[in-house]
């Protein structure tokens, strides 16, 4: 029997696994794909935290509550913004290398939609999730955590009203009962339930389904956030055009070249995601269009600043420095999920949840850009 069985190997699951192992717990991680095959690896924009003046947790809190359109849990938001700077520093201590200014070596801070100022740290321009995943996998391996790839968890084991382990299928097809004192769901979101999504193939809602069958409470599962600027090409998942593009000066344009967001919101192209996605969708429906456009030509040194987006665009035959990029909304992030308290405990004894599979109420009805990696990194193991 293991002390902690973690299901999933993204930032949420690995952050918790590392902290538990550092505290002397026996930890096992199961993931249905390769360790690094997670939604975390796809994350482009970065991690939002109030790291330097004139920013503050109070400002970050206000932006989060505004984006959540009145449905955030205030206490959860206070934890997110208050502990955020320390969580970023912990990621750096684990080896994550965030981008720094060439002149003074300070962290580069980007601005994204819904943020009142620049507070988003990033890595490799637009490869933040991949860098965090790399650092966490390395840290976990150094701690010699038992990590099992390509194990598919079928169901939670429940005895006497408490979760005591899981039923799982090994890579050779054999089925096993793995018992644990605590089971942590970190299985990610459910974007693959939608026809068009930015999520990787592994994001199929398994953890939520298992929790539901076991009798755990769920909440807000209708709050699927649609990213407004997925590249409209014939591939799935859709390549994501980071919100940081608009933070660096990219402009949304309609089929006539009109910059339409100035008429939709005071923040124009940097409005919260739900506002932008609805503005785009309304025009697509009214005008019978498949896409509008993102004009990234104002961004200097595009390939250097956004190498991931540049590669995706060029693979589709587009040059971001010269061409308008066709975009349309795509299913992106589930703000609801398995109900938890601020320590990650669900309504079932022995079962915990963190990251996108969980619903602590921190995101409300609409997640503020780059709050997801922060939320996933703030997992607590003190109560285990």
């Amino acid at each position: 029997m293991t002390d902690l069985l973690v299901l999933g190997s993204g930032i949420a699951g690995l952050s918790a696994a590392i902290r538990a192992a550092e505290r002397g717990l026996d930890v096992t991680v199961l993931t249905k794909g390769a360790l690094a095959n997670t939604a975390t690896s796809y994350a482009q924009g970065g991690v939002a935290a109030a790291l330097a003046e004139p920013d503050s947790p109070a400002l970050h809190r206000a932006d989060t509550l505004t984006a959540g359109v009145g449905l955030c849990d205030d206490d959860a938001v206070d934890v997110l913004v208050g502990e955020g700077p320390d969580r970023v520093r912990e990621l750096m201590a684990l080896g994550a290398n965030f981008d720094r200014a060439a002149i003074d070596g300070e962290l580069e801070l980007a601005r994204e939609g819904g943020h009142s100022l620049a507070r988003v740290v990033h890595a490799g321009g637009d490869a933040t999730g991949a860098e965090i995943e790399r650092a966490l996998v390395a840290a976990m391996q150094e701690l010699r955590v038992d990590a099992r790839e390509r194990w598919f968890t079928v169901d939670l084991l429940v005895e006497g009203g408490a979760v005591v382990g899981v039923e799982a299928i090994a890579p050779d097809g054999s089925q096993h009962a793995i018992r644990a004192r605590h089971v942590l769901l970190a299985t990610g979101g459910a974007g693959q339930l939608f026809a068009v999504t930015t999520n990787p193939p592994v994001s199929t809602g398994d953890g939520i389904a298992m929790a539901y069958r076991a009798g755990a409470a769920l909440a807000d599962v209708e709050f699927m956030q649609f990213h407004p600027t997925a590249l409209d090409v014939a591939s799935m998942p859709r390549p994501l055009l980071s919100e940081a593009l608009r933070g660096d000066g990219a402009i949304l344009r309609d089929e006539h070249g009109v910059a339409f967001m100035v008429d939709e919101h005071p923040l124009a192209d940097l409005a919260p995601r739900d506002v932008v996605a609805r503005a785009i969708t309304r025009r697509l429906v009214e005008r019978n269009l498949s896409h509008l456009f993102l004009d990234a030509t104002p961004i200097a040194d595009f390939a250097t600043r956004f190498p991931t987006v540049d590669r995706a665009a060029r693979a589709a035959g587009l040059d971001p420095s010269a061409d308008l990029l066709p975009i349309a909304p795509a299913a992106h992030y589930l703000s609801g999920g398995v109900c938890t308290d601020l320590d990650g405990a669900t309504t079932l004894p022995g079962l915990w949840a963190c990251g996108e599979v969980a619903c602590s109420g921190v995101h409300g009805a609409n997640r503020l850009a780059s709050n997801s990696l922060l939320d996933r990194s703030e997992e607590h193991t003190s109560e285990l």
Side-chain angles (χ1 to χ4, degrees), residues 101-255:
I103 297 175
D104 58 11
E106 293 296 317
L107 287 171
E108 288 186 337
L109 300 178
R111 186 179 178 187
E112 297 183 5
H115 292 274
S116 55
L117 40 65
R119 66 162 63 95
V120 180
V121 298
H122 47 84
D126 57 1
T128 310
E131 170 58 17
I132 291 174
E133 183 75 16
R134 179 205 63 76
L136 291 176
V137 168
M140 185 191 65
Q141 290 172 338
E142 186 173 338
L143 288 166
R144 300 187 181 278
V145 171
D146 179 13
R148 306 181 191 180
E149 297 179 301
R150 298 177 177 84
W151 279 68
F152 185 83
T153 305
V154 178
D155 253 323
L156 299 171
L157 293 175
V158 182
E159 296 177 1
V163 173
V164 297
V166 302
E167 289 282 348
I169 300 174
D172 64 3
S174 58
Q175 191 155 332
H176 301 260
I178 303 176
R179 301 183 72 85
R181 290 178 54 232
H182 302 276
V183 175
L184 175 65
L185 290 175
T187 51
Q192 285 291 331
L193 299 182
F194 292 77
V196 179
T197 182
T198 64
N199 287 188
V202 294
S203 297
T204 52
D206 303 340
I208 294 172
M210 285 187 285
Y212 176 75
R213 289 194 295 269
L218 310 181
D220 297 343
V221 290
E222 73 274 24
F223 291 152
M224 172 61 74
Q225 181 184 71
F226 283 72
H227 199 290
T229 55
L231 189 64
D232 187 39
V233 294
S235 66
M236 195 65 64
R238 288 286 196 267
L240 179 65
L241 301 189
S242 170
E243 203 150 32
L245 293 170
R246 283 174 277 141
D248 266 21
I251 301 168
L252 288 160
R253 299 189 185 278
D254 67 11
E255 75 276 27

